[in-house]
Structure formats: structure tokens, C-alpha cells
Amino acid sequence: MKKFLLLMTVVMGLTACHENLGERAAREAQDFTKKSCPMEISEGIIIDSMTFDAATETVCYHYTLSGILDTTLTEEIKEQTKEKMLDGVRNTPTLKVYKDAGFGFHYIFRSHKDKKKVLLDYHFTKKDY
């Protein structure tokens, strides 16, 4: 009986340490934000943070656009950016586990001049990738 109780305690302890995929996504988003943000991706593009919405199982990337990108986004540039973001979702190996689980990916680009102003907003679901 003592061996059984010890075994059950060990099993419960080991399973309690494992995080589910949603918890992992939240942790990784928080870790990325703490370690790497803000980070300039290219001239005029800064990634501010990465978050995870557990309710919708969506990984969200928050960017700020400055300079010319903050003032002159044409429809052509918006469409090209959307395609680049979707290609990134499709071709980034580290996202595979999240794609396999059907997670969504959301990209929000805000104005440097007016942080409340959303310049670009793309949301991709499983049917997109």
C-alpha cells in the first residue's frame, strides 16, 4: 500500500509539472516579450510584444510602424504585407505545433505617432494556412 501511495504521489507530481499547449504558448509569448521586445525588425518596423489569447487560442504579434510606413501605406503595400505575414505563418517551423493544434495568428501594426491608431490588422486561422 505504501508503494502504491508513493507511486501515485510521483505520478501526480510529474503530471502537475506538464503544461498544456495553451500554457506553453502563453509562457513563450511572455518570454519572447521580456527577452526580445521592443526589437527593430527593419527600418520603421518594431515588434513591441507577443501575446497569447487562451480563449480564442490565438498568438498575437504587436508592432509599431514609424517614419514613411506610418504615413503612406498604400493598398498594394497592405496586400504585400498580408501575404508576407501569411507566408511567415505557413513557413515558420517553430509555429508547426501551434498550426497543428489549429491556433490562430494575429498581427497588429499601430502608428508610432498615435498608438491608438491601428494601421494594419491581419488575422489568420487554420483555413488560411
Side-chain angles (χ1 to χ4, degrees), residues 1-13:
M1 184 65 170
K2 287 182 183 181
K3 287 183 181 182
F4 176 76
L5 288 175
L6 178 61
L7 178 63
M8 290 305 294
T9 303
V10 170
V11 169
M12 287 174 36

Side-chain angles (χ1 to χ4, degrees), residues 66-129:
S66 62
I68 196 162
L69 295 174
D70 197 353
T71 57
T72 58
L73 286 176
T74 64
E75 288 305 313
E76 181 180 354
I77 291 172
K78 290 178 181 181
E79 203 50 44
Q80 288 173 354
T81 304
K82 181 178 181 179
E83 284 305 312
K84 285 183 182 182
M85 296 292 103
L86 183 54
D87 284 346
V89 170
R90 288 177 176 153
N91 298 314
T92 302
T94 56
L95 297 181
K96 184 180 181 335
V97 67
Y98 300 122
K99 292 187 300 187
D100 289 348
F103 283 20
F105 299 90
H106 192 183
Y107 298 86
I108 301 171
F109 296 80
R110 296 185 185 278
S111 167
H112 177 72
K113 292 179 183 177
D114 179 2
K115 296 289 186 187
K116 293 181 183 178
K117 183 177 181 183
V118 175
L119 300 172
L120 303 170
D121 190 336
Y122 306 119
H123 190 199
F124 303 114
T125 63
K126 189 171 186 162
K127 68 179 181 177
D128 298 311
Y129 55 81

Side-chain angles (χ1 to χ4, degrees), residues 17-35:
C17 295
H18 294 283
E19 59 188 357
N20 66 36
L21 190 56
E23 291 166 339
R24 173 182 165 187
R27 178 184 48 78
E28 288 180 351
Q30 186 176 29
D31 289 348
F32 175 81
T33 299
K34 284 181 182 177
K35 293 176 184 174

